[in-house]
Amino acid sequence: MNWQRTLSRLSLPGLMLLALGAVLCLRPAWALRLFPAGKRERLQTPIRLAGLAVALLGALIVLDFIPGL
């Protein structure tokens, strides 16, 4: 199996979005450091949902459901 040819067909933006979405879903505290301390607890679920949406968008790009990216 030719791994270089297989990896060259993958979309780098899609892989980056997939990885970022996974990090936001699994480790929302990483992104919550940007917000004031009083709002961090309340924003944990929306950050996780945003991470899920970003990961889904990345997966759609990698699987070539959005052509051209």
Side-chain angles (χ1 to χ4, degrees):
M1 179 174 233
N2 189 354
W3 286 104
Q4 284 183 331
R5 197 172 79 194
T6 303
L7 291 176
S8 71
R9 295 185 66 201
L10 292 176
S11 171
L12 186 60
L15 289 174
M16 289 174 49
L17 285 174
L18 187 61
L20 178 66
V23 168
L24 286 175
C25 281
L26 298 175
R27 302 284 182 193
W30 175 75
L32 288 173
R33 291 183 297 166
L34 302 172
F35 295 99
K39 295 185 176 184
R40 288 182 187 167
E41 187 70 29
R42 195 171 43 124
L43 290 175
Q44 189 170 4
T45 301
I47 293 290
R48 284 182 188 247
L49 291 175
L52 180 64
V54 169
L56 183 62
L57 178 65
L60 289 175
I61 291 172
V62 167
L63 293 174
D64 209 22
F65 281 102
I66 303 174
L69 291 177

